Amino acid sequence: MSATGTGEYSPITETRTRPMPPIARAALVIALLYLFLIGVKLLENGVKGLGSDTAGGLFDGISSPLAALSVGVLATVLVQSSSVTTATIVGLVAANQLPMDVAVPMIMGANIGTSVTNTIVSLGSARQTESFKLAFTAATMHDFFNLIAVAILLPLEIATGFLQSTATWMADHLPGGADATFNSPIKGAVKWGARQFEHLLELFISNETALAVTGIILGIGIIFLALTYITKNMKILIAARIENSVNAALAKSGVVGMMVGVLITVMVQSSSITTSILVPLVASGILLVRNAYPITL
């Protein structure tokens, strides 16, 4: 709101403006969300351009479970995508270049490494103290869950190998096996949008390293810009009554939140995108931290 309290805050200028219709504001939020996802993709592609070869070489000669866990974390931090890390691991296992008992801790490490993206996203709210507290809480909630899960499951896996045996059994019985794929239209649209930005950069930059660095900077800038205006517009768009309804529905059953998280992740084919979307929702006060937790699960 304006200083006088009689006008509506504009996301572009701090002046009084005519109230934007809710449908138009919702469309703006969707556009900003799409821009945010493009920023995440640009960041991922830029870091991948700098570190993908290094990440691929990290998998060679690993035998210790703890070393494999560390390699999974480092590889995912380098490429900013657990999907890339796990896809590489799957390919190496399929080619008999990596044993299953090493692959499982690596994938656990990839789950820890992917939560770094959420922490980067939370920095978009750094200028607002209270919003940043909520955003950082939502981001690190994912970190702590992954750390605790690995602390429990890794010793059990080393002692019993139950994850290996369960995964092998499922692979033998699921339709399509390891060759089953799903093409997400949302992920495809985000990839297309990011590629248009990259084409634009390629018109001015020919060096691959400089192009990757510029992509990272551009991605981070887009993330921060989109998050700032997503948070402001969501606060205006979502009335307190709707906020309470959403939180009440999720609070009744954690299973509802988990199903929401499953559905979104299947649609976008990226857990980083799902958990990163939660950060501005929590920062703007629309979603309570305790209700964001089952969605993260």
Side-chain angles (χ1 to χ4, degrees), residues 24-243:
R25 193 174 295 282
L28 176 61
V29 170
I30 292 173
L32 288 168
L33 182 58
Y34 178 62
L35 189 64
F36 160 72
L37 297 180
I38 289 176
V40 173
K41 189 65 179 177
L42 285 171
L43 175 61
E44 174 188 321
N45 290 347
V47 179
K48 190 191 304 180
L50 289 177
S52 58
D53 293 338
T54 304
L58 289 173
F59 297 109
D60 298 333
I62 303 297
S63 57
S64 165
L66 291 179
L69 178 73
S70 301
V71 165
V73 174
L74 181 58
T76 304
V77 169
L78 285 174
V79 301
Q80 279 294 288
S81 173
S82 60
S83 297
V84 172
T85 304
T86 52
T88 303
I89 294 170
V90 168
L92 291 173
V93 173
N96 293 320
Q97 299 297 312
L98 189 68
M100 279 284 289
D101 60 343
V102 176
V104 172
M106 280 187 179
I107 291 176
M108 290 184 181
N111 286 333
I112 294 175
T114 194
S115 55
V116 173
T117 304
N118 300 339
T119 306
I120 295 174
V121 169
S122 71
L123 297 177
S125 304
R127 294 176 60 187
Q128 296 86 31
T129 303
E130 293 304 319
S131 294
F132 180 59
K133 286 180 180 179
L134 292 171
F136 193 72
T137 300
T140 53
M141 172 180 64
H142 189 207
D143 300 23
F144 283 115
F145 169 74
N146 286 334
L147 288 169
I148 294 171
V150 169
I152 294 172
L153 294 178
L154 183 58
L156 289 175
E157 173 63 16
I158 294 173
T160 65
F162 78 100
L163 288 175
Q164 299 176 51
S165 57
T166 303
T168 302
W169 180 87
M170 289 183 66
D172 292 337
H173 291 81
L174 285 176
D179 296 327
T181 58
F182 173 73
N183 295 321
S184 166
I186 297 176
K187 190 174 183 179
V190 171
K191 186 180 295 185
W192 178 86
R195 191 61 192 144
Q196 303 316 302
F197 278 95
E198 290 169 346
H199 281 317
L200 183 62
L201 293 178
E202 288 168 359
L203 295 176
F204 304 97
I205 304 172
S206 57
N207 182 273
E208 291 186 3
T209 301
L211 186 64
V213 172
T214 305
I216 292 172
I217 295 172
L218 178 61
I220 293 175
I222 290 175
I223 289 172
F224 284 4
L225 178 67
L227 282 177
T228 298
Y229 292 125
I230 286 173
T231 301
K232 289 180 179 179
N233 280 278
M234 288 294 279
K235 284 181 177 179
I236 298 172
L237 181 64
I238 306 296
R241 183 178 302 174
I242 299 178
E243 293 177 30

Side-chain angles (χ1 to χ4, degrees), residues 3-27:
T4 61
T6 59
E8 185 175 352
Y9 182 84
S10 167
I12 307 300
T13 59
E14 294 187 9
T15 60
R16 286 191 299 171
T17 62
R18 294 178 61 185
M20 182 182 294
I23 294 178
R25 193 174 295 282

